[in-house]
Amino acid sequence: MDLRASDEALDWPALRERVAACTACALHATRTQTVFGVGSERARLMIVGEAPGAEEDRQGEPFVGRAGQLLNAMLRAIGLERGDVYIANVLKCRPPGNRNPSLEEAVACEGFLRRQIALIAPALILSVGGIAARNLLGTDTPVGKLRGTVHHVGADRVPCVVTYHPAYLLRQPEEKAKAWQDLQLVAGLLRESSALHSRGQST
Ligand code: URA
């Protein structure tokens, strides 16, 4: 996926404004507000989900409903709090009835996520759920087949681990053990990248 040329040079305030004013797809007509993203702009780990749900649309923050509570617990399992990471979605507006994003909606929104990734330049992306994986990696391969290995996102080849969406884990708790394995992979990659980083700085 490519950045829309117009989004390429935006800084954080300009990007926020662009998202808040966006009317590029029909979702602007039904949203309460846009849901930009939350967390540290210097995060080493970026979480990418699908789209805001009802609670996110109301509060203007991603992952604040039940799935968000589970995401928080997943992060805590590897010693991280929400404020340590950056959390964003493929779509910045809620699809009515929480249906899956359409291709047109994802294309209309993709420049925003790309710019967020470029501004944060995370060491690692954790993609939660099939919609995020499809949009980040450009594949229809199911999450079950993508998990367990390191993929790469975009021209900068940002490392990316794929796991199940917390909303799916709420419905299928028997899959949680696999998600916990994926989180161990994330923790290991973050440790590795910070060891490399500090070695680089000391030489
Ligand atoms: N599901 C998502 O993918 N994103 C949210 O922000 C909330 C639920």
Side-chain angles (χ1 to χ4, degrees):
M1 281 186 291
D2 291 325
L3 265 182
R4 281 185 288 158
S6 57
D7 295 329
E8 264 167 27
L10 299 182
D11 61 9
W12 281 112
L15 184 62
R16 274 179 189 282
E17 265 177 45
R18 187 74 66 90
V19 168
C22 183
T23 55
C25 79
L27 295 182
H28 77 274
T30 49
R31 72 185 178 216
T32 303
Q33 58 191 316
T34 55
V35 178
F36 181 75
V38 71
S40 167
E41 292 167 4
R42 298 157 55 93
R44 299 181 56 246
L45 177 63
M46 182 169 180
I47 317 289
V48 177
E50 179 178 325
E55 203 49 43
E56 289 77 19
D57 175 70
R58 232 186 323 270
Q59 295 191 34
E61 183 171 327
F63 283 101
V64 288
R66 279 187 70 223
Q69 301 306 312
L70 180 54
L71 179 64
N72 293 348
M74 290 165 73
L75 290 173
R76 276 198 296 271
I78 53 168
L80 294 172
E81 295 293 332
R82 272 172 88 89
D84 298 325
V85 305
Y86 194 89
I87 307 174
N89 284 312
V90 169
L91 291 194
K92 307 306 187 216
C93 295
R94 180 189 184 212
N98 296 346
R99 63 161 170 73
N100 284 345
S102 71
L103 183 61
E104 294 71 28
E105 290 157 359
V107 167
C109 225
E110 75 182 13
F112 297 145
L113 179 61
R114 292 288 154 196
R115 188 62 191 148
Q116 287 175 306
I117 295 171
L119 285 167
I120 296 163
L124 183 65
I125 294 173
L126 176 62
S127 166
V128 298
I131 300 287
R134 181 179 316 150
N135 285 276
L136 288 169
L137 303 174
T139 175
D140 281 329
T141 306
V143 171
K145 293 221 162 80
L146 292 171
R147 52 177 295 277
T149 51
V150 181
H151 305 269
H152 293 91
V153 172
D156 292 336
R157 298 190 51 74
V158 182
C160 175
V161 169
V162 174
T163 193
Y164 295 109
H165 195 287
Y168 171 77
L169 295 173
L170 288 171
R171 294 192 303 274
Q172 308 284 335
E174 66 280 7
E175 299 284 43
K176 279 187 183 172
K178 292 184 197 156
W180 256 248
Q181 283 169 9
D182 300 335
L183 290 166
Q184 295 314 314
L185 175 60
V186 165
L189 289 165
L190 289 174
R191 271 195 303 271
E192 244 172 56
S193 95
S194 64
L196 280 177
H197 190 65
S198 46
R199 262 206 301 281
Q201 280 180 340
S202 63
T203 51

